[in-house]
Amino acid sequence: YVLWPMCCFLHVMFVGARAPSPHSASRPNGPASKSHLMVRGELFAVAGAPLFLLKMVSEYCQCVNDMPAQASDILNRLLDLLRLFNKRTGSLVLGAEARRSTGLKTITAKHLALASRCLDAVLSYLPLARAHFQQRFPVRQRILLTEFDPVFQDYRNHRSEILNKLVSMMEDTTSRYLSKWEAKAPIPSAEFQGISKQMCKLHESLAPVLSPDQLELVFNNVQLAFRTHFLLHVKRLAISPGGPQHGIVSAELSFLAEHLNSLEGLPEIGESLMEIWHHP
């Protein structure tokens, strides 16, 4: 399904089963999922809502072409729409309203990642919408376009909250496993096996959705959170480098590092884990 907005330079393509229009942008190399939206040449894994939102934004752009005398009113209505989308996305995902309205048992990491990329897609599109309005506003009215700035910032803040929530979820899981860890045979312990499994599951959920930079950011913060909790529990167990349990701790961390090093798109994260013990 291809969306060709009325202001043609603001094109968005929903990469799906149907062939694109000959007027639309070409597909990127390689296969694409039905759940990807192409905005300005970049693919975003999204749910359906942004497709409809961006179609509406493009229609507002057409309205300002058709009714330039109403440009300021059209702009205000567009900004209200964008604020509403951001607010409802937050309520449904971070606020967990989707559990009540759709019957979801829980809001998963993948739901959070999809919400984040939906916001990214809108953020990528909006500068073009702003430029479109700027071309049609008299110079004396262009100050009104600064109203886009707090909307951009709200979307960025919301995206950061979602990514932080992903880290927080993994941090809670890590802390729960480490609270039961006793640094004794067998190695790897059930606790470190559990931590490894959960980190791999998180990567499996996020890697197809987040951008490479976001994936790396999330896992770097997950690793920092693990470091904090690990050192707390090492202190709780009165373990020190060079002590009788040094080899056990090193083996546990090596096991976890090996698994993390196998995850695509996370360079050197395993080595960073080993530095926790040797350079706390």
Side-chain angles (χ1 to χ4, degrees):
Y1 176 77
V2 175
L3 170 64
W4 181 250
M6 296 178 181
C7 39
C8 62
F9 69 92
L10 288 177
H11 60 83
V12 172
M13 181 165 68
F14 188 64
V15 181
R18 299 182 187 177
S21 158
H23 303 295
S24 68
S26 61
R27 293 189 184 199
N29 294 330
S33 164
K34 292 183 180 181
S35 58
H36 282 75
L37 189 69
M38 185 193 291
V39 182
R40 301 169 66 189
E42 181 178 359
L43 281 177
F44 296 85
V46 296
L51 178 66
F52 296 103
L53 174 69
L54 297 185
K55 182 177 186 297
M56 294 173 72
V57 173
S58 71
E59 289 169 351
Y60 275 96
C61 290
Q62 182 61 42
C63 283
V64 80
N65 286 349
D66 297 339
M67 299 181 290
Q70 304 299 319
S72 61
D73 185 52
I74 294 169
L75 174 63
N76 288 332
R77 292 173 185 272
L78 171 59
L79 293 172
D80 285 343
L81 172 66
L82 294 169
R83 293 185 189 103
L84 177 62
F85 179 85
N86 190 39
K87 181 179 179 180
R88 288 299 298 151
T89 301
S91 297
L92 289 168
V93 181
L94 286 177
E97 283 187 17
R99 293 177 59 186
R100 295 187 291 275
S101 61
T102 67
L104 287 175
K105 292 182 178 179
T106 186
I107 303 297
T108 66
K110 189 167 186 177
H111 294 140
L112 290 166
L114 282 170
S116 174
R117 285 303 272 169
C118 288
L119 298 175
D120 280 335
V122 177
L123 278 169
S124 180
Y125 188 91
L126 289 186
L128 295 178
R130 177 175 178 161
H132 183 84
F133 272 80
Q134 181 172 335
Q135 292 173 4
R136 285 149 184 83
F137 268 44
V139 174
R140 67 180 182 277
Q141 287 189 311
R142 288 181 182 174
I143 188 66
L144 298 175
L145 295 171
T146 59
E147 292 299 316
F148 271 104
D149 295 338
V151 173
F152 290 160
Q153 192 58 49
D154 286 345
Y155 273 69
R156 293 188 192 102
N157 291 343
H158 187 181
R159 178 184 59 193
S160 295
E161 288 178 26
I162 292 173
L163 297 180
N164 288 340
K165 179 64 175 178
L166 289 168
V167 175
S168 175
M169 289 168 61
M170 193 65 235
E171 182 177 7
D172 291 344
T173 299
T174 297
S175 179
R176 187 167 63 251
Y177 277 111
L178 286 175
S179 67
K180 302 174 184 177
W181 177 59
E182 294 297 335
K184 61 183 181 181
I187 301 171
S189 64
E191 290 76 22
F192 267 75
Q193 289 184 59
I195 291 170
S196 174
K197 180 179 179 180
Q198 292 303 316
M199 287 190 177
C200 290
K201 285 178 64 177
L202 181 64
H203 181 270
E204 183 181 348
S205 295
L206 302 189
V209 180
L210 296 182
S211 69
D213 287 347
Q214 289 174 337
L215 181 68
E216 188 172 352
L217 173 65
V218 168
F219 270 86
N220 281 338
N221 288 332
V222 164
Q223 186 260 126
L224 290 173
F226 173 84
R227 177 190 184 114
T228 298
H229 288 281
F230 171 78
L231 293 176
L232 284 174
H233 289 290
V234 162
K235 185 177 181 179
R236 171 180 65 84
L237 297 171
I239 302 172
S240 59
Q245 294 169 298
H246 177 93
I248 291 176
V249 175
S250 295
E252 295 274 45
L253 288 175
S254 294
F255 165 79
L256 184 57
E258 181 181 351
H259 279 73
L260 293 183
N261 281 336
S262 69
L263 301 179
E264 186 176 354
L266 300 175
E268 301 182 357
I269 191 169
E271 285 74 6
S272 298
L273 277 180
M274 295 306 299
E275 292 176 3
I276 295 174
W277 185 231
H278 298 293
H279 305 283

